Amino acid sequence: MRAQQHGFNLVEGLVVAALLAVLVAVAVPRLVVPETLHVRSCAREVASDLRLAQRLAMARRATIVLEFSPGAGPYTRYTVRRQGGGDEPGFPKGIPTEVAVTGPQSFEFFSGGGAASGGTVTVSGGGATATLQVNAVTGHVRVSGP
């Protein structure tokens, strides 16, 4: 009779190593969040809140302000509030440290939907850049980028 074998032989070890290599190759890219995703996510959230400020201005027939801080960019947070009033629920919001946001410090939206002035907000990080453009006449917010 043959004695019991313990452990793996060379072929079994190579098969296990190859399977582990395939699993790592598939799983690691999904675990690492690319910088483009941070930029895209932040740009979409700020654009959504700019649109929210416009809708609130129209619904409330009041001037609503989206304001970034600190005064000199890059900005680290922003808030939406009625002009001269307190922050709306859910604000202020922080800007992720992985991205830099620059542009006008504030946007004011009027009851007709237009903005006091237009401007471009730039969201960048890790070599990726997105821009948000606010049209002064219509208050329309357009996002372009990653």
Side-chain angles (χ1 to χ4, degrees):
M1 289 215 85
R2 248 177 106 177
Q4 285 186 334
Q5 290 183 348
H6 296 287
F8 295 105
N9 66 27
L10 181 61
V11 174
E12 291 170 333
L14 289 174
V15 168
V16 169
L19 288 173
L20 286 174
V22 169
L23 287 173
V24 168
V26 171
V28 169
R30 293 174 190 253
L31 296 175
V32 178
V33 178
E35 292 300 322
T36 303
L37 186 58
H38 291 297
V39 170
R40 182 181 302 136
S41 174
C42 182
R44 286 182 179 175
E45 185 168 4
V46 172
S48 176
D49 290 331
L50 282 163
R51 293 179 186 117
L52 171 67
Q54 180 193 33
R55 287 191 308 272
L56 287 173
M58 292 169 33
R60 295 181 182 168
R61 300 232 172 257
T63 301
I64 302 291
V65 179
L66 183 142
E67 185 174 43
F68 293 100
S69 62
Y75 305 121
T76 58
R77 66 188 189 114
Y78 64 95
T79 190
V80 172
R81 61 178 170 76
R82 185 180 210 135
Q83 189 174 38
D87 296 340
E88 289 292 322
F91 289 94
K93 289 185 178 179
I95 295 172
T97 57
E98 298 87 4
V99 297
V101 177
T102 57
Q105 186 179 6
S106 65
F107 291 93
E108 294 180 9
F109 292 94
F110 302 125
S111 61
S117 61
T120 301
V121 175
T122 303
V123 181
S124 59
T129 302
T131 57
L132 291 76
Q133 295 178 324
V134 178
N135 181 301
V137 175
T138 64
H140 177 74
V141 179
R142 187 177 66 129
V143 180
S144 58

